[in-house]
Amino acid sequence: MFGRSPLTALTELEAMLLGVTGKAALWRALRLLAVDDDRLDIAELDYLLALAEGQIVALEALRSEVAVAALTEG
């Protein structure tokens, strides 16, 4: 009860990955709308999507490492 479970870091990383994946989905949806809506900056949305995709790659790599460690510990 006073320490962290090995699965805690995995759960936290999976939650972050879910949030960033949702953010990327939003940028993709807005990017589709930007073609016909001058209020949306296509270049900015492309930039934000690229950032989110980079975050997804980094989080997935870290999540994979933590998952192996957490699930083989014991």
Side-chain angles (χ1 to χ4, degrees):
M1 293 298 288
F2 297 104
R4 286 173 53 96
S5 162
L7 294 176
T8 301
L10 179 59
T11 302
E12 292 168 346
L13 284 166
E14 288 179 343
M16 284 189 281
L17 186 57
L18 182 60
V20 174
T21 301
K23 178 174 63 173
L26 172 63
W27 300 145
R28 282 188 200 96
L30 289 174
R31 177 63 173 80
L32 292 173
L33 295 174
V35 174
D36 296 319
D37 191 334
D38 293 338
R39 297 174 297 171
L40 298 169
D41 184 336
I42 291 173
E44 183 69 17
L45 291 168
D46 287 343
Y47 172 73
L48 292 170
L49 181 55
L51 284 178
E53 288 172 344
Q55 292 168 346
I56 289 169
V57 169
L59 283 168
E60 180 55 37
L62 186 55
R63 190 204 63 80
S64 294
E65 288 178 29
V66 170
V68 168
L71 297 174
T72 58
E73 214 172 87

